[in-house]
Amino acid sequence: MSLVTEEIKANAEVYYGDEICKEKSKFLLTEVGLPNGLLPLEDIEECGYVKETGFVWLKQKKKIDHKFEKIGKLVSYAAEVTAYVEPNKIKKLSGVKVKEFLIWITLSEIYVDDPPTGKITFKTPAGLSRTFPVSAFQLEEVKEVEAGKEGNDQ
């Protein structure tokens, strides 16, 4: 069951399509002081943001698994990811799990200490947490710009 109701959508900025949703999600992450590579979603169909409450959602065609190479962690993103954002923090997160040893563990909160070069902490509903360098989740913007230039040269 979706947490995103028509009532919520009525008060939100809503976008449709993979390209604009990726752009908006990276922008929002940066805007609240979180690394822009935190949500490496694919085939996003819809995204939205309710500025008054901080509620955000992203809907993709199907769940995906993504490995963050710099820390060697596999993360699973459900077809619908929801959360509340505030400066340097994501709370009440749903739809995101991380693989620890042989089991999948639900994440409920993500926050950054001493942004932008500090540490990022991931918490579970049980209160367990792991901390990593923020840089492990930061996209290299320069590469994206260079890739765009190569495409324009042809």
Side-chain angles (χ1 to χ4, degrees):
M1 185 176 106
S2 176
L3 294 174
V4 183
T5 63
E6 290 305 317
E7 186 179 328
I8 288 172
K9 282 186 181 184
N11 297 316
E13 292 177 30
V14 183
Y15 301 93
Y16 299 93
D18 188 54
E19 193 173 323
I20 187 74
C21 287
K22 281 182 180 175
E23 185 182 309
K24 291 294 181 181
S25 65
K26 288 177 192 171
F27 177 78
L28 179 64
L29 287 168
T30 303
E31 192 82 353
V32 297
L34 295 166
N36 64 358
L38 205 52
L39 296 169
L41 305 183
E42 296 293 329
D43 295 326
I44 305 172
E45 296 178 313
E46 177 184 303
C47 65
Y49 176 48
V50 181
K51 197 168 191 150
E52 295 77 37
T53 62
F55 182 71
V56 296
W57 74 89
L58 296 136
K59 291 183 181 181
Q60 49 186 357
K61 288 184 181 168
K62 62 182 186 342
K63 86 170 199 77
I64 65 157
D65 293 340
H66 175 81
K67 185 167 187 178
F68 287 97
E69 295 296 336
K70 292 180 182 175
I71 59 166
K73 292 288 176 193
L74 188 62
V75 179
S76 178
Y77 297 88
E80 182 176 287
V81 175
T82 64
Y84 288 86
V85 296
E86 58 187 52
N88 305 315
K89 183 185 267 189
I90 294 175
K91 57 186 185 177
K92 296 184 182 177
L93 178 65
S94 74
V96 181
K97 295 180 180 185
V98 63
K99 193 162 193 179
E100 282 289 336
F101 303 108
L102 300 173
I103 59 171
W104 287 98
I105 299 171
T106 299
L107 294 178
S108 60
E109 190 175 311
I110 302 169
Y111 60 90
V112 172
D113 291 322
D114 196 26
T117 57
K119 300 284 185 189
I120 186 166
T121 301
F122 299 83
K123 283 182 74 175
T124 70
L128 302 172
S129 64
R130 293 282 306 263
T131 301
F132 300 97
V134 167
S135 61
F137 304 92
Q138 193 66 40
L139 292 177
E140 302 293 330
E141 294 298 332
V142 175
K143 289 178 187 172
E144 288 181 19
V145 170
E146 286 173 1
K149 285 180 186 171
E150 290 171 10
N152 292 338
D153 292 343
Q154 296 172 355

